[in-house]
Amino acid sequence: MSSLFTPLTQRAVTFRNRVFVSPMCQYSSVDGLPTDWHLVHLGSRAVGGAGLVMVEATGVSPEGRISPGDSGLWSDAHATAFAPITAFLTGQGSVPGIQLAHAGRKASTEAPWDGGGLIPLTDSRGWTPLAPSAIPFHDDDPAPHALDARGLDEVEAQFVRGARLALAAGFRVIEIHMAHGYLLNEFLSPLSNQRTDEYGGDREGRMRFPLRVTRAARAAWPDDLPLFVRISASDWAEGGWTIDDSVDLARRLKAEGVDLVDCSSGGLVPHAKIATGPGYQVPFARRVRAEAGVATGAVGLITEPAQAEEILASGAADAVFLARRLLSDPYWPLHAAEALGVEVAWPRQYRRARPVPAPAAR
């Protein structure tokens, strides 16, 4: 039996396979509300056979969005708007998930196709980003506002609210975004966290607020549903967060009730030197899984069925998160099953398009 197409059960949720749709920003929401684009974009990946379909980084508050076009989950109206999407994903056999996020100092930016730069406060669409310390992402950007004790309480409450709204919307998995240079990742790294209170200093202090948010979200999320966390396993920068730090964090996350650590990397500083290549982040997932004793997801230039199969069969990870490959081919799971010789059910509406197997040789 193929490892890629072996079901995975976590708590009371069973994923039909281990092909997971990575959260990918679409910059196509209006006031944080998903649109028809999201229904079609996410729905097509469920039709294509993915085990988990994860909604993009979704702001737990308006100022927690990366851009004005990001999706959000901070009101009943947002949960109501997501409900038809989760119903469709579930109806197609996929598990609906959502990544709860706060962009921190990387907030208030344009969409990539509009340049991606910081939106000035003179523009009505912009706002002042928040951060652990008043250190901008780019040296020539205005400094973000450093969160005080009240601000930390508000952010924690926003993640809790996001978890409860995710449940109301019909999601079965939430993932806390602790990667790519966004707020919770900023707390972890000494390159972005220079606080002198209990939430800064050594690694223990820098982990304190991300773990606090995780603990609160887990308490607000049903015990029978999985909680994931995406981390940047390395900053890829001198003096920054390392894979050794990530192993320790993963142990702590597991103790807080996290079911899977999704191992990405980078994004914290613009000068990072990242050695990319096929599966370049898989060693992070392997180390975290082996040394922290927690399930992991591997992500990063995973494109071929045999490559994904080997990652899982070798014990490097429990699932693979695909991003750009699933943008170019929403039906990659169905095509991967064909390539690996695995029998999976195609949507009945598409079965006429399924390749006809060649007759067996006599």
Side-chain angles (χ1 to χ4, degrees):
M1 177 64 180
S2 161
S3 296
L4 190 61
F5 289 93
T6 298
L8 173 66
T9 297
Q10 292 198 317
R11 300 192 184 237
V13 174
T14 297
F15 306 91
R16 60 183 169 184
N17 58 52
R18 298 169 190 239
V19 182
F20 290 0
V21 178
S22 199
M24 292 177 278
C25 291
Q26 299 298 294
Y27 307 100
S28 300
S29 295
V30 178
D31 296 326
L33 297 167
T35 64
D36 289 345
W37 175 265
H38 296 87
L39 174 61
V40 176
H41 162 67
L42 298 164
S44 62
R45 275 81 203 164
V47 171
L52 169 71
V53 176
M54 184 83 74
V55 176
E56 66 193 78
T58 299
V60 293
S61 64
E63 66 275 11
R65 294 172 296 168
I66 303 166
S67 81
D70 282 21
S71 66
L73 194 55
W74 62 77
S75 75
D76 290 341
H78 292 85
T80 299
F82 272 115
I85 297 175
T86 62
F88 184 83
L89 301 180
T90 301
Q92 298 303 310
S94 293
V95 174
I98 189 166
Q99 186 183 67
L100 300 179
H102 193 298
R105 69 179 185 175
K106 294 175 76 173
S108 189
T109 62
E110 299 281 7
W113 48 79
D114 290 324
L118 191 68
I119 300 173
L121 292 178
T122 53
D123 187 322
S124 62
R125 298 173 303 126
W127 62 91
T128 300
L130 305 174
S133 302
I135 304 169
F137 180 68
H138 294 288
D139 291 340
D140 55 353
D141 286 341
H145 174 72
L147 287 160
D148 58 14
R150 180 178 177 182
L152 295 177
D153 290 345
E154 290 175 351
V155 169
E156 177 187 355
Q158 289 162 0
F159 274 93
V160 168
R161 179 181 62 194
R164 290 173 176 159
L165 289 170
L167 182 65
F171 289 103
R172 302 280 288 167
V173 173
I174 57 171
E175 178 174 83
I176 297 174
H177 202 353
M178 210 175 284
H180 301 165
Y182 300 121
L183 183 65
L184 297 182
N185 185 199
E186 292 164 21
F187 271 90
L188 293 172
S189 177
L191 299 179
S192 49
N193 182 349
Q194 296 180 8
R195 299 174 73 97
T196 57
D197 64 2
E198 62 182 319
Y199 297 107
D202 61 11
R203 182 169 68 192
E204 185 72 18
R206 287 181 278 110
M207 289 194 300
R208 186 166 282 118
F209 187 64
L211 290 171
R212 173 181 155 185
V213 169
T214 302
R215 188 178 309 119
R218 178 73 267 181
W221 188 241
D223 286 342
D224 63 343
L225 296 181
L227 170 64
F228 294 179
V229 171
R230 171 165 278 192
I231 65 169
S232 276
S234 170
D235 287 342
W236 298 93
E238 186 176 354
W241 186 260
T242 70
I243 179 58
D244 292 333
D245 296 320
S246 291
V247 169
D248 186 39
L249 174 64
R251 292 192 186 105
R252 301 289 297 274
L253 291 171
K254 180 183 178 183
E256 297 294 349
V258 170
D259 300 287
L260 181 143
V261 177
D262 177 5
C263 297
S264 189
S265 69
L268 183 89
V269 290
H271 61 270
K273 305 296 183 184
I274 303 176
T276 62
Y280 71 102
Q281 295 173 140
V282 173
F284 296 141
R286 184 186 297 276
R287 271 202 64 185
V288 168
R289 187 175 190 263
E291 297 178 29
V294 66
T296 60
V299 63
L301 297 183
I302 299 169
T303 59
E304 302 302 321
Q307 176 195 16
E309 178 70 18
E310 191 278 333
I311 289 167
L312 300 179
S314 69
D318 297 270
V320 291
F321 285 81
L322 273 64
R324 282 174 284 184
R325 191 67 185 91
L326 280 171
L327 291 182
S328 63
D329 181 7
Y331 310 108
W332 188 92
L334 298 177
H335 298 149
E338 295 283 346
L340 296 173
V342 178
E343 183 69 25
V344 298
W346 281 48
R348 60 187 179 184
Q349 296 92 336
Y350 287 1
R351 286 175 189 165
R352 286 177 294 177
R354 182 176 181 177
V356 177
R362 298 194 178 190

